[in-house]
Amino acid sequence: DYLAAGTPTVNDAPHDYPFGARLAHLDLPVLVLTAERDPLVSAYEPLLAHARRGRGHVFPGSHPLHDPARAGEYARAVD
């Protein structure tokens, strides 16, 4: 789906952008989501650690975002 939509791949991500440093400046709730099979799962813990008012959730398997049958699971995580 990502390739068909023209979405950049993980290899095209801006790896040098200081996401953690930017999150450390936010004084608002931040929700950090990932999944066990997310290609960027290794960034989850470091980003969550930088978010002063952060809350995180790891979905089992893959992200439910693109699976209508898992909509409730996604909604509970962001509630």
Side-chain angles (χ1 to χ4, degrees):
D1 290 345
Y2 284 112
L3 294 175
T7 303
T9 65
V10 171
N11 294 330
D12 296 329
H15 296 287
D16 295 331
Y17 186 80
F19 288 104
R22 297 292 184 203
L23 280 176
H25 293 287
L26 295 178
D27 188 23
L28 52 94
V30 174
L31 177 61
V32 181
L33 299 174
T34 193
E36 294 168 337
R37 291 194 310 258
D38 185 335
L40 299 175
V41 70
S42 63
Y44 173 77
E45 289 292 337
L47 289 177
L48 189 57
H50 281 94
R52 289 188 286 160
R53 294 176 54 197
R55 180 172 62 98
H57 183 79
V58 179
F59 293 104
S62 60
H63 272 285
L65 183 60
H66 303 290
D67 183 353
R70 294 177 68 191
E73 180 183 353
Y74 186 79
R76 285 187 296 279
V78 299
D79 185 21

